[in-house]
């Protein structure tokens, strides 16, 4: 079975620029997560989708971050405008709605904001 | 509310000696508990999980963990460390079912000396 796909793997931008990340979850997985992992820290949940609806986005900085999951499959996470402190790895994970709570993670996108 | 505390930011062992990575949790409900491993520049991989079945859980690569409700602990162990075990390890707690919003610990870096 194919895993969670993410692109790009690496991105370098200037502060105040915009950036978008893409995630394709495991086929049939209804739940999708976006995490931010700053160097030396554990992943922090940004947003959780169930199909194409938002379950939790309490830690998403909504003034600059946005995410969508059209048709309940692929998802995009956007940052506009980026700040220096947004430098991190952005992880996408998916989970089967009927599964025993195991999340499957993609390889992540490493963002550097200069 | 739920939380997880990984008691050591770094653990250093010699190859062939036992590994112990400590994790304590707090949860208002019966939790699901997970250990994930992250090798450099790689995605998170599930090592093992506890979901209210047997309290001693065996995972991949010779790792195991024991759920101790009285101590609210879920420590990860391995009898004999290999060089390839050097990585970052994350303990995760969640309340199963429904929205399943997981909480990550800060991580423990395992260093294995030859």
């Amino acid at each position: 079975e194919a895993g969670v796909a993410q692109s790009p793997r690496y991105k370098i931008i200037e502060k105040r620029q915009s950036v978008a990340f893409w995630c394709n979850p495991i086929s049939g997985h209804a739940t999708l997560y976006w995490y931010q992992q700053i160097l030396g820290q554990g992943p922090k949940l940004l947003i959780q989708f169930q199909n194409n609806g938002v379950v939790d986005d309490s830690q998403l900085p909504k003034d600059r971050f946005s995410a969508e999951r059209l048709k309940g499959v692929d998802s995009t996470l956007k940052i506009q405008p980026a700040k220096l402190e947004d430098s991190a790895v952005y992880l996408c994970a998916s989970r089967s709605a009927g599964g025993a709570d195991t999340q499957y993670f993609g390889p992540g996108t490493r963002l550097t904001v200069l | 509310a739920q939380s997880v505390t990984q008691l050591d930011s770094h653990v250093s062992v010699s190859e062939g000696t036992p590994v112990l990575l400590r994790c304590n949790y707090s949860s208002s409900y019966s939790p699901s508990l997970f250990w994930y491993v992250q090798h450099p520049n790689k995605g998170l991989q599930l090592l093992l999980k506890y979901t209210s079945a047997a309290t001693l859980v065996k995972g991949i690569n010779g790792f195991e963990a024991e759920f101790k409700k009285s101590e609210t602990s879920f420590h990860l162990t391995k009898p004999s460390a290999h060089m390839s075990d050097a990585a970052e390890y994350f303990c995760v707690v969640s309340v199963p079912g429904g929205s399943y919003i997981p909480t990550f610990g800060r991580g423990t870096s395992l260093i294995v000396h030859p």
Side-chain angles (χ1 to χ4, degrees):
Chain A
E1 144 181 284
V4 177
Q6 289 187 249
S7 67
R9 290 296 310 276
Y10 304 91
K11 189 74 176 179
I12 300 174
I13 62 173
E14 303 272 339
K15 61 183 179 183
R16 290 187 290 273
Q17 285 187 321
S18 301
V19 65
F21 312 127
W22 173 81
C23 174
N24 180 239
I26 292 172
S27 178
H29 280 194
T31 308
L32 185 147
Y33 308 81
W34 282 103
Y35 290 87
Q36 180 193 59
Q37 185 177 18
I38 292 173
L39 186 64
Q41 299 181 19
K44 182 183 83 171
L45 181 67
L46 292 176
I47 189 167
Q48 177 182 340
F49 292 95
Q50 181 76 17
N51 297 309
N52 59 351
V54 175
V55 173
D56 184 89
D57 63 356
S58 57
Q59 297 193 88
L60 187 73
K62 298 180 186 63
D63 57 333
R64 297 183 300 106
F65 286 65
S66 64
E68 61 181 7
R69 191 184 183 196
L70 299 176
K71 302 180 181 179
V73 181
D74 293 6
S75 177
T76 57
L77 176 70
K78 297 179 181 177
I79 306 175
Q80 181 180 9
K83 293 185 176 181
L84 295 176
E85 58 261 36
D86 298 332
S87 293
V89 175
Y90 291 84
L91 296 165
C92 180
S94 70
R95 177 179 77 99
S96 169
D101 297 338
T102 298
Q103 296 179 90
Y104 295 88
F105 285 83
T109 296
R110 183 178 298 277
L111 173 67
T112 302
V113 182
L114 303 176
Chain B
Q2 59 194 36
S3 66
V4 61
T5 302
Q6 291 184 243
L7 297 166
D8 306 292
S9 59
H10 296 84
V11 170
S12 183
V13 301
S14 297
E15 191 174 22
T17 64
V19 175
L20 170 64
L21 305 183
R22 298 182 294 166
C23 172
N24 286 105
Y25 70 91
S26 172
S27 175
S28 303
Y29 303 94
S30 294
S32 291
L33 293 158
F34 306 79
W35 277 99
Y36 283 87
V37 61
Q38 187 176 37
H39 288 91
N41 299 314
K42 297 289 181 65
L44 286 147
Q45 180 184 19
L46 179 70
L47 275 177
L48 49 79
K49 63 181 178 182
Y50 166 78
T51 54
S52 75
T55 56
L56 182 62
V57 181
K58 294 187 183 299
I60 62 171
N61 300 334
F63 284 94
E64 62 181 39
E66 186 172 8
F67 173 70
K68 293 186 176 180
K69 186 175 181 179
S70 61
E71 299 176 10
T72 62
S73 70
F74 190 59
H75 300 336
L76 182 70
T77 60
K78 183 173 181 178
S80 176
H82 294 164
M83 295 296 292
S84 60
D85 294 329
E88 193 81 13
Y89 291 79
F90 293 96
C91 183
V92 182
V93 64
S94 76
V95 176
S99 59
Y100 174 67
I101 299 173
T103 302
F104 277 74
R106 65 177 181 173
T108 299
S109 179
L110 177 63
I111 301 161
V112 182
H113 299 286

